[in-house]
Amino acid sequence: MKQLSEIVHNSSKDERDILLEYQNIDVSKLETLNVLGIPIDNVTTDEAIAKLFRVLEKKEGMHHVLFLDPIKLMRMRPKKALHRIAEKAGTILVEGAGIGWMTKGRLKERVTPIAVMMDLIRLAELKEFTAFIFGAKDEIVERIYFNLTRHFPKVRIVGRHAGHLDRQREMRVKEAIRKTGPDIIFLAMDFPEQEIWIENNTGYFGKAVVIGVGGALDMLSGADKKAPEWFKERGLIWLWRIIARPYRIRRMWETFYFILLGIRERFRKH
């Protein structure tokens, strides 16, 4: 997995080209794909950013960007307790490989939290959108903040806080978000705590685009060394976590059931 400096140096487009590409995408024609009862945005990374660009410009209300991998998909299906979160999400993107296999190639591409985060940071610098970073460990947050402000000196990061807070510090973070009124919030927690925290605190977010980026901050900073590169590059970190922690029986069962449902979906006529 490439770190932040590598990702930044690989971007060679000038400002005008970036904005024109997003503005030329007709977001009214973007399609959704129903996967196990969840309407997934069937988009490329550029189309996802174009959609969020319009949301940021309109500022009509809080917009939750939800990333799905097979485990999250299994936990958010209809009749599951967490399905309510998928129903409320404004954008649902596929980050984990496996869902594409289930759709028999109909999914345009896998859209990763890192790609969305970096493209939105670039867009925020050009359009003067503000950002707030919350989650991960203190040293990770500070490293990300230092690198982002070094590579994108005009970006306005109006707040940054580590996760794992006690109740008092958590209230201070919520108030900081409410008072600064950021346009974009990057939230890095584990699943499903991350999604539940977003659901429970919508009143503090104003009209922000709230993105649950999970372990993206760890990977961008180079701190996540657990998953081998082969798994990272193929969107199989979720599978590596199950292999590395076989005592998580529930996730092993969900993975097995996902494969069975995937086989059923692949043979079903659409």
Side-chain angles (χ1 to χ4, degrees):
M1 177 65 66
K2 296 178 180 178
Q3 294 184 28
L4 179 58
S5 58
E6 297 176 87
I7 295 171
V8 171
H9 288 311
N10 285 338
S11 177
S12 59
K13 300 176 183 177
D14 62 33
E15 297 179 5
R16 179 180 297 181
D17 288 343
I18 292 172
L19 293 178
L20 281 176
E21 284 187 13
Y22 296 144
Q23 291 168 344
N24 287 337
I25 294 174
D26 187 352
V27 298
S28 66
K29 295 182 178 180
L30 299 182
E31 63 180 35
T32 58
L33 194 62
N34 188 294
V35 182
L36 298 186
I38 296 181
I40 291 171
D41 288 76
N42 189 18
V43 294
T44 64
T45 299
D46 282 349
E47 288 172 340
I49 299 301
K51 176 183 177 178
L52 297 179
F53 187 5
R54 304 304 194 283
V55 172
L56 286 164
E57 287 186 313
K58 291 181 179 179
K59 294 185 74 69
E60 294 178 340
M62 193 276 281
H63 189 92
H64 177 199
V65 180
L66 172 66
F67 285 92
L68 289 186
D69 60 25
I71 296 299
K72 292 180 182 179
L73 177 64
M74 295 300 291
R75 299 278 296 276
M76 291 187 172
R77 290 174 295 146
K79 298 183 180 180
K80 295 291 184 179
L82 294 178
H83 181 64
R84 67 183 190 277
I85 294 176
E87 288 183 305
K88 297 174 185 176
T91 299
I92 303 179
L93 303 171
V94 172
E95 67 166 309
I99 297 178
W101 164 78
M102 177 179 278
T103 66
K104 297 191 291 188
R106 288 180 295 144
L107 186 70
K108 287 184 178 180
E109 68 179 54
R110 184 169 63 90
V111 181
T112 68
I114 288 180
V116 170
M117 181 176 180
M118 294 309 301
D119 284 353
L120 283 181
I121 286 290
R122 178 62 168 161
L123 187 61
E125 183 182 48
L126 299 179
K127 297 295 292 183
E128 298 184 353
F129 297 131
T130 57
F132 197 105
I133 301 173
F134 174 43
K137 297 179 180 178
D138 285 289
E139 59 269 25
I140 300 300
V141 174
E142 291 305 311
R143 191 181 305 170
I144 291 293
Y145 175 76
F146 173 78
N147 287 333
L148 288 178
T149 52
R150 180 163 61 94
H151 291 294
F152 305 99
K154 295 181 181 178
V155 71
R156 295 173 56 204
I157 299 178
V158 295
R160 63 190 192 277
H161 289 272
H164 311 293
L165 306 176
D166 58 29
R167 183 173 296 275
Q168 188 175 12
R169 289 189 64 192
E170 182 180 3
M171 281 306 303
R172 288 203 295 268
V173 170
K174 293 176 184 178
E175 281 301 309
I177 292 173
R178 185 183 65 80
K179 289 179 179 179
T180 56
D183 297 302
I184 307 167
I185 300 172
F186 297 111
L187 178 64
M189 293 181 179
D190 290 332
F191 173 78
E193 290 80 11
Q194 173 177 266
E195 287 69 26
I196 293 173
W197 198 89
I198 292 173
E199 179 188 38
N200 290 341
N201 294 289
T202 56
Y204 293 92
F205 300 147
K207 297 179 180 180
V209 171
V210 184
I211 307 171
V213 297
L217 297 188
D218 289 346
M219 288 185 279
L220 271 176
S221 68
D224 186 358
K225 302 294 185 181
K226 297 179 181 179
E229 291 299 319
W230 190 91
F231 285 86
K232 291 181 181 180
E233 292 171 357
R234 291 163 176 78
L236 297 172
I237 293 178
W238 59 274
L239 180 58
W240 169 255
R241 288 171 179 161
I242 294 170
I243 295 172
R245 301 175 183 177
Y247 53 84
R248 300 172 80 166
I249 301 298
R250 179 176 182 177
R251 291 198 173 187
M252 292 182 68
W253 163 245
E254 287 170 337
T255 302
F256 177 69
Y257 191 34
F258 170 80
I259 293 172
L260 291 180
L261 291 177
I263 293 172
R264 185 196 69 181
E265 291 296 309
R266 286 181 65 84
F267 283 97
R268 172 181 291 177
K269 293 183 179 180
H270 292 277

